[in-house]
Amino acid sequence: MGLGNWRKYFPHERIVKEYSSEVDVSAEDYSEVSSNEQGTEKKLSQDHEITKRVSVVTEEGTLRTDVPYELRDEADRKWWKFFDEFEYRANKEYKKSRNWYSFMYPNHTTQTKAERTLLYKLDLMIGLYFLMLCWSKSLNTNNYTSAYVSHMREDLNMKGNDYINTSVISNVGAIVFQLPFMYVLPRFPAHIILPIMDMGWTWFTFACFRANNLASLRAYRFLLSAFGAAYYPVSQYVLGSWYAPDEISSRVCLFFFGQLLGGVTSGLLQARIFKSLNGVLGHAGWRWMFLIDSMAISLPTAFIGFFVIPGIPSKCYSLFLTDEEIVIARRRNLRNQIKDGVQKSQLPSLLSLKLWKKVFCTPTFWVLVVFDTCSWNNMTAFSGSYTLWLDSIPSYSTVQVNNLSVLPACLGFAFVAICAFGADFFRCKWFFMVFAAMMNCISCAILIKWDVSSGAKWFAFLMTYWSVAPSPCLWSFINDFLRFDPQVKAITWIAIYSISQSTYAWIPSLAWKTEQSPRFKVGYTVSLVFGAIYGLWTFVVLYFYKRQERRHALDNGIILYNSKMSEPIPSFVESELVKEGEYYYLKSETNEPERVYN
């Protein structure tokens, strides 16, 4: 095999002609590929008719050929339109062009099979891979709780608040080592970053198998979390670079399915391992769980990531996407105003004061910080309180405790799916976030009371995963807020996540003291307060989101004016656009409407 053929088998940056509004563009331009890309398609699908006049810049913004424009008079706008999340995010054509049953693959732009194929491939590559990656991470995190109730506590002589304090130390590792990714994230490809970090995660998961005392366990958990610091922000950065705003919640849902799957399989695996391997080769059952987790799950996941993570559309490293599909992904981002990346030479210095002002001196940043902080600290589901409550019931054996511990996470699949898929189906995230917050508050209120019937207590614990359910909607909101600048997006994601997680490093140590087990009255109260703020703060986020999208209405295919406020129809409507049916299109040189897609 010649050295020149290595690109066929290893991830490399794909050289595909960029879509540009500054030059004449033809179908032949898009079929040009690197000389190294032998065997790739030579011509794009005939479904695309790419015209020479791509866009026109006006004082109000840029007009493009691939957008049908809606002229909207806001004179009679109703008050309840505030709750229409996509009021300024999508015009009538965008909303009408999809069938209800195809909401996960709306094809609202091209109406072609090519875009649908792209989405299928993305779901298989990054959707399912991030599910698997999150499962690996969640399994390890939940293994700590499962191991604790499976005699690790006795073997390592853990007493008092050692359980929660070890968790806090682990969280500190993740927080500290997230910060360098403000620099790394927009500069280096994700298919390199994540697998390398996963290798470190795998090694220190294995190290937990060898922990002989509490100090060594804490050191290993700290370093393990440090290597796991990348996977939340990097995965969301990648997802936000490929999916449209009404597609992403469903895909983040797959990510959270992995987290829930970890909660389910951890208890079941620990129960089975404890029963089958406890004492084998002189090792306790809880040690075998860490060994199997690292060698059989985490290590293969890290290796697979190197080949399946595609990078971002502007810097694609995929072995599985065609040149046509990469171009389609870039065009989708153009329509959705998603700027996924720029060249390293064009990125401002991380020490630039102007850059940091752009991040911290905007109200949106602080609105999102409060939002994410409330999300982190209202998650009763991850407190371990349910498992510790089961462990306090004498009639349950260790195996029964591990088996029953998976029940809330099993229900969590349904709760997360309702919120994530409902958000994309109805194009409305805020409703499901508020509803989930209400259900979480009801659960916490019952557990604060505590002296209730056994059935009520079971109901309350089984409802705890409503605290997790709206997370895909939250992360979709953040991605949509930050789609305009990849550098600001990277810094803001890391900053929001670090600030929020830092509160999660010390609040649990005060609210969820192990010595208060199984009745965590302070913990449930804290969760209820944060849950209530979370539900109410959703309307604040909605206000800022609507304000942002109104400013970008033209980019979203909506031309606004208000006849009651004496705001005229913008002059470019007559000079640059031509009406066809109920929509306006950019004129061609012959004054006919230009369209990129048929």
Side-chain angles (χ1 to χ4, degrees):
M1 181 180 69
L3 294 177
N5 294 325
W6 70 271
R7 289 174 179 266
K8 293 182 179 180
Y9 307 100
F10 293 94
H12 58 282
E13 185 169 1
R14 301 285 297 280
I15 308 299
V16 181
K17 184 77 173 180
E18 287 282 358
Y19 176 86
S20 173
S21 61
E22 300 176 356
V23 297
D24 288 349
V25 183
S26 65
E28 286 75 21
D29 289 330
Y30 280 102
S31 64
E32 291 181 9
V33 294
S34 168
S35 58
N36 292 321
E37 294 291 333
Q38 300 297 325
T40 58
E41 296 184 19
K42 297 295 184 180
K43 186 179 179 183
L44 291 178
S45 170
Q46 295 301 317
D47 290 332
H48 302 275
E49 178 191 344
I50 302 176
T51 64
K52 290 185 177 182
R53 197 184 193 205
V54 175
S55 65
V56 170
V57 178
T58 70
E59 293 182 1
E60 292 82 0
T62 302
L63 302 172
R64 301 197 309 276
T65 57
D66 59 339
V67 178
Y69 290 92
E70 170 196 349
L71 185 62
R72 183 184 299 175
D73 186 357
E74 291 204 298
D76 298 317
R77 181 177 179 267
K78 305 300 183 183
W79 65 268
W80 45 264
K81 292 296 289 183
F82 169 79
F83 300 100
D84 181 0
E85 191 174 303
F86 267 62
E87 180 184 8
Y88 301 115
R89 193 68 178 88
N91 61 19
K92 288 182 180 179
E93 181 273 342
Y94 189 103
K95 292 181 179 180
K96 290 179 180 179
S97 63
R98 72 174 186 178
N99 297 314
W100 66 268
Y101 54 81
S102 61
F103 70 96
M104 286 187 67
Y105 306 97
N107 290 324
H108 43 257
T109 306
T110 65
Q111 299 294 332
T112 65
K113 293 181 180 179
E115 184 179 356
R116 180 168 295 194
T117 301
L118 168 66
L119 290 172
Y120 288 154
K121 286 186 176 181
L122 291 175
D123 288 347
L124 289 173
M125 289 190 301
I126 57 179
L128 291 182
Y129 175 72
F130 284 141
L131 184 155
M132 183 169 60
L133 179 65
C134 196
W135 170 57
S136 171
K137 300 293 184 289
S138 178
L139 180 64
N140 184 278
T141 302
N142 284 280
N143 281 347
Y144 171 64
T145 301
S146 299
Y148 181 79
V149 298
S150 300
H151 303 328
M152 181 178 75
R153 171 177 46 192
E154 293 80 7
D155 291 351
L156 300 185
N157 194 29
M158 299 176 71
K159 300 177 181 178
N161 292 317
D162 286 344
Y163 168 83
I164 190 62
N165 289 338
T166 303
S167 295
V168 170
I169 291 171
S170 178
N171 288 334
V172 171
I175 295 166
V176 172
F177 284 89
Q178 277 175 11
L179 300 179
F181 287 94
M182 292 181 177
Y183 177 84
V184 171
L185 197 50
R187 289 173 170 81
F188 298 96
H191 80 284
I192 298 295
I193 297 173
L194 275 179
I196 289 176
M197 299 299 285
D198 282 345
M199 289 295 183
W201 173 282
T202 300
W203 174 254
F204 286 104
T205 300
F206 173 77
C208 291
F209 163 79
R210 302 294 300 172
N212 293 317
N213 52 61
L214 180 58
S216 61
L217 177 68
R218 286 177 170 176
Y220 296 149
R221 299 296 292 183
F222 175 88
L223 292 170
L224 179 150
S225 294
F227 278 97
Y231 90 101
Y232 266 114
V234 174
S235 60
Q236 296 311 304
Y237 188 93
V238 172
L239 286 170
S241 297
W242 289 96
Y243 289 107
D246 56 348
E247 299 165 353
I248 191 169
S249 293
S250 303
R251 277 64 184 193
V252 180
C253 177
L254 294 177
F255 183 91
F256 272 90
F257 275 180
Q259 191 165 24
L260 298 177
L261 189 62
V264 171
T265 53
S266 175
L268 295 177
L269 283 173
Q270 184 66 63
R272 182 63 183 172
I273 288 170
F274 186 87
K275 184 177 181 180
S276 304
L277 296 177
N278 188 39
V280 174
L281 299 179
H283 299 304
W286 64 268
R287 294 184 185 274
W288 281 106
M289 187 67 234
F290 287 119
L291 176 63
I292 293 171
D293 184 8
S294 59
M295 295 296 104
I297 299 173
S298 294
L299 186 60
T301 302
F303 180 76
I304 292 171
F306 179 73
F307 291 94
V308 302
I309 300 174
I312 55 180
S314 63
K315 298 178 182 178
C316 185
Y317 294 84
S318 178
L319 299 176
F320 308 105
L321 297 179
T322 66
D323 293 330
E324 178 186 2
E325 288 162 349
I326 295 171
V327 171
I328 291 172
R330 292 174 180 176
R331 294 182 64 84
R332 280 163 46 89
N333 281 359
L334 183 66
R335 174 160 180 166
N336 289 297
Q337 309 105 55
I338 299 173
K339 190 172 184 180
D340 54 48
V342 297
Q343 296 298 322
K344 292 182 183 180
S345 59
Q346 298 175 354
L347 289 170
S349 169
L350 195 63
L351 303 178
S352 169
L353 182 60
K354 183 179 179 180
L355 175 63
W356 289 96
K357 284 183 177 180
K358 194 173 182 179
V359 173
F360 292 114
C361 294
T362 58
T364 298
F365 173 81
W366 299 106
V367 166
L368 293 177
V369 166
V370 173
F371 208 24
D372 200 43
T373 299
C374 291
S375 173
W376 270 93
N377 290 287
N378 87 114
M379 289 188 180
T380 317
F382 297 147
S383 64
S385 57
Y386 169 66
T387 303
L388 295 176
W389 172 64
L390 291 175
D391 190 47
S392 70
I393 301 175
S395 59
Y396 291 145
S397 66
T398 298
V399 173
Q400 287 177 311
V401 169
N402 281 303
N403 284 332
L404 290 173
S405 68
V406 308
L407 291 178
C410 289
L411 288 174
F413 283 100
F415 302 158
V416 172
I418 289 171
C419 290
F421 289 97
D424 280 352
F425 183 83
F426 293 104
R427 288 193 174 108
C428 179
K429 294 184 282 290
W430 71 264
F431 173 82
F432 294 95
M433 301 178 85
V434 172
F435 177 77
M438 291 174 59
M439 294 300 296
N440 183 44
C441 287
I442 292 172
S443 170
C444 290
I446 294 173
L447 294 173
I448 290 171
K449 175 68 174 174
W450 194 257
D451 295 325
V452 294
S453 66
S454 177
K457 198 171 293 184
W458 271 102
F459 170 81
F461 277 118
L462 294 179
M463 292 296 105
T464 54
Y465 268 80
W466 278 112
S467 63
V468 182
S471 295
C473 301
L474 166 67
W475 288 12
S476 300
F477 256 134
I478 296 175
N479 263 316
D480 217 11
F481 268 112
L482 304 176
R483 67 184 186 272
F484 303 104
D485 188 322
Q487 178 84 341
V488 171
K489 179 179 179 179
I491 293 175
T492 304
W493 256 117
I494 301 298
I496 289 173
Y497 202 75
S498 297
I499 293 172
S500 304
Q501 196 174 10
S502 65
T503 66
Y504 193 67
W506 60 269
I507 289 178
S509 65
L510 300 177
W512 299 96
K513 293 184 177 181
T514 313
E515 58 192 18
Q516 295 177 355
S517 175
R519 182 177 182 178
F520 296 95
K521 185 174 183 178
V522 176
Y524 299 130
T525 303
V526 169
S527 289
L528 187 148
V529 171
F530 277 107
I533 296 173
Y534 183 80
L536 295 173
W537 199 256
T538 301
F539 296 106
V540 178
V541 174
L542 181 62
Y543 167 77
F544 280 94
Y545 181 74
K546 294 291 293 288
R547 188 180 74 165
Q548 171 181 280
E549 296 312 317
R550 192 181 190 283
R551 293 171 178 170
H552 292 274
L554 183 62
D555 295 327
N556 294 327
I558 303 168
I559 305 168
L560 297 175
Y561 74 101
N562 193 321
S563 58
K564 281 188 177 180
M565 301 294 292
S566 300
E567 294 180 3
I569 297 175
S571 59
F572 66 77
V573 173
E574 182 177 352
S575 63
E576 301 292 348
L577 302 178
V578 59
K579 189 173 184 181
E580 184 182 280
E582 59 180 319
Y583 304 112
Y584 290 79
Y585 296 88
L586 187 64
K587 290 179 181 178
S588 69
E589 295 176 356
T590 59
N591 291 331
E592 294 296 327
E594 293 270 18
R595 300 199 204 180
V596 173
Y597 299 109
N598 292 326

